[in-house]
Amino acid sequence: MIDDKLTVGPDPNSPIVGRAQGFYGSADQNEFSLLMTLNFVFTSGEYNGSTLSMLGRNPLFHEYREMPIIGGSGVFRLAQGIATANTYSFNTTSGDAVVEYHVVVLHYE
């Protein structure tokens, strides 16, 4: 399960704008990939009260990782698009990671 802070940028001290909530599980027998269901829940700023929903395969050790945006709520109602992921840091002892997602919304109502 995931319930992590959602910040403006990859610096852990960046302003918090919401929560990244969802879950993931192992999705490949040959490489380290996850099936991720993630909701970006905005709790402040211009998108306060809105969400974006992402669902897809995340091959963690690939340099370029792209997952679909499959919906949203509030200002992102019926959103469609993509999210790309870039891992800034990963602590193998604690399992903590800092991941930057770039989201491109192609359509919303």
Side-chain angles (χ1 to χ4, degrees), residues 52-55 66-71 78-84 102-108:
L52 280 169
S53 297
M54 182 183 78
L55 170 67
E66 180 180 295
M67 291 151 283
I69 296 294
I70 61 167
L78 301 175
Q80 296 176 347
I82 61 166
T84 59
H102 289 242
V103 176
V104 176
V105 176
L106 304 173
H107 169 78
Y108 58 95

Side-chain angles (χ1 to χ4, degrees), residues 56-76:
R57 183 176 182 273
N58 185 355
L60 293 177
F61 296 119
H62 288 203
E63 186 173 335
Y64 180 78
R65 299 172 349 243
E66 180 180 295
M67 291 151 283
I69 296 294
I70 61 167
S73 65
V75 299
F76 298 117

Side-chain angles (χ1 to χ4, degrees), residues 6-78:
L6 182 64
T7 61
V8 171
D11 181 341
N13 297 315
S14 294
I16 297 172
V17 294
R19 306 292 298 176
Q21 299 173 331
F23 61 90
Y24 60 87
S26 182
D28 196 311
Q29 294 181 13
N30 299 312
E31 68 176 331
F32 194 43
S33 289
L34 302 174
L35 169 64
M36 297 189 68
T37 300
L38 189 60
N39 291 304
F40 300 104
V41 180
F42 296 93
T43 58
S44 66
E46 66 180 300
Y47 304 121
N48 185 23
S50 298
T51 66
L52 280 169
S53 297
M54 182 183 78
L55 170 67
R57 183 176 182 273
N58 185 355
L60 293 177
F61 296 119
H62 288 203
E63 186 173 335
Y64 180 78
R65 299 172 349 243
E66 180 180 295
M67 291 151 283
I69 296 294
I70 61 167
S73 65
V75 299
F76 298 117
R77 185 178 298 117
L78 301 175

